[in-house]
Amino acid sequence: MTYKVAQQHDSITALAPVKGSPLSVGSGFTGVGFRHGQFYGAMDPFIMVDHYTMTAPTFGAHPHAGLSAVTVLFEHTDGKFNNRDSLGNDFDINPGDLYWLNAGSGAVHDEAPREGATIHGLQIFVNLPGRMKHRAPSSLHVKREDMPTLNGQGYRVRLVLGRSNGVETDAASVWPATILDGFADKTSLFEHRIQTGFNAWIYSVEGDIEFHVRGEWFTFHQGESSAIDGAEGEALTIRGKSPSSSHFAVLSGEKINENFVQHGPFAMSTQQEIDEVVARYNAGELGSLV
């Protein structure tokens, strides 16, 4: 399907809460999924986000091209997530870690829980601009212990990647992005300033949250999300609304603002490029697992 750059949208409409679609694959994968088409273009550069729980191998080896496939594990994940890909990687992703597979011109990937593990996290597809879709693939693994934590009145926020509140991670992704994984109670006023030229996506993982942007407060219940066109570098303020601390996530990335064609795990600039990468995959040219 071809996706065109969205026209200017009404900010209040775009900020209305969006619930994810239920996901279930086999007996070991459940969750909810969000797709960029639900957010009037304000999710760019993110194509999709799945919030999932996985207890058994589910997808097997599968290809990607023209995008980055990003895994963020929440800290309460129980056990290890084995990652293998055609770049030669074969290692475990631990609770709280991030793995960013920049598929570029094409890569083959598989992630599966170790026996007895319960994996809980986000799977994110990040688009690439046309000029980067044909570059060689690369990868980034950031361990939990290397991620700064932002602490303040009523909140604790992991800076998984990027920058916030004057703090920046040592690791950097191939496309500029910030990922926040946080907890906030009713006394919190955690503020994140959306970088100029970036969009932001906010999600209530567990519990209810309130956030303030453009002079208004919005209330989101568990499982609801919204995307914010932050072209002017606006401030986003978050506080919990549940009796206990609420869990939230914020993704922010530089806008690409290009039309693209998505075909499952591929996102290319034209249908011809999709056909070409599918043919290359079928011919075994995207590599194989170690």
Side-chain angles (χ1 to χ4, degrees):
M1 183 176 292
T2 301
Y3 296 98
K4 296 186 176 181
V5 176
Q7 300 298 312
Q8 194 75 326
H9 54 269
D10 177 80
S11 62
I12 301 303
T13 301
L15 288 167
V18 173
K19 291 188 71 69
S21 302
L23 302 172
S24 180
V25 181
S27 60
F29 183 94
T30 58
V32 293
F34 301 87
R35 302 297 180 262
H36 65 95
Q38 299 173 280
F39 299 95
Y40 303 90
M43 200 180 187
D44 179 17
F46 305 106
I47 296 175
M48 58 149 256
V49 181
D50 289 343
H51 170 207
Y52 69 95
T53 299
M54 191 173 180
T55 57
T58 301
F59 299 103
H62 56 276
H64 292 294
L67 53 75
S68 293
V70 181
T71 298
V72 177
L73 297 190
F74 294 137
E75 292 171 295
H76 58 267
T77 283
D78 182 12
K80 298 178 182 293
F81 205 26
N82 181 241
N83 172 84
R84 297 187 300 148
D85 55 52
S86 55
L87 282 70
N89 293 309
D90 185 353
F91 58 84
D92 289 338
I93 306 172
N94 292 312
D97 285 4
L98 169 141
Y99 183 66
W100 184 299
L101 173 63
N102 168 41
S105 60
V108 176
H109 186 217
D110 184 30
E111 288 178 330
R114 292 292 190 183
E115 186 175 354
T118 299
I119 306 302
H120 187 205
L122 302 177
Q123 179 71 33
I124 307 158
F125 281 3
V126 186
N127 198 12
L128 292 170
R131 68 180 187 275
M132 296 176 64
K133 291 182 181 293
H134 301 281
R135 295 181 183 176
S138 59
S139 64
L140 172 69
H141 179 205
V142 184
K143 297 181 179 181
R144 168 63 188 100
E145 55 264 33
D146 296 326
M147 300 173 184
T149 300
L150 309 174
N151 292 292
Q153 174 62 50
Y155 68 79
R156 181 179 70 87
V157 180
R158 295 197 303 135
L159 181 55
V160 177
L161 192 71
R163 65 184 189 182
S164 182
N165 288 269
V167 180
E168 188 168 358
T169 58
D170 292 333
S173 50
V174 294
W175 188 250
T178 290
I179 299 175
L180 303 171
D181 173 24
F183 294 84
D185 64 22
K186 292 181 178 181
T187 71
S188 166
L189 286 176
F190 171 73
E191 182 178 290
H192 170 70
R193 185 163 295 277
I194 303 168
Q195 292 174 243
T196 299
F198 279 46
N199 286 336
W201 182 81
I202 181 171
Y203 176 53
S204 184
V205 178
E206 185 173 4
D208 299 341
I209 62 171
E210 292 181 314
F211 69 92
H212 183 271
V213 68
R214 294 177 182 156
E216 294 192 48
W217 281 99
F218 299 85
T219 299
F220 276 16
H221 302 297
Q222 179 173 315
E224 294 181 336
S225 69
S226 184
I228 302 162
D229 185 334
E232 301 304 319
E234 297 173 89
L236 169 66
T237 303
I238 302 170
R239 67 187 178 200
K241 203 184 176 188
S242 299
S244 59
S245 190
S246 298
H247 187 184
F248 67 89
V250 175
L251 312 179
S252 183
E254 184 175 331
K255 291 185 282 187
I256 296 174
N257 203 34
E258 292 179 2
N259 298 340
F260 66 97
V261 180
Q262 184 185 2
H263 178 75
F266 306 126
M268 306 302 289
S269 298
T270 65
Q271 182 61 46
Q272 180 180 342
E273 290 183 336
I274 289 287
D275 296 341
E276 289 171 353
V277 78
V278 170
R280 289 176 53 233
Y281 172 61
N282 290 334
E285 296 176 6
L286 299 192
S288 59
L289 300 184
V290 295

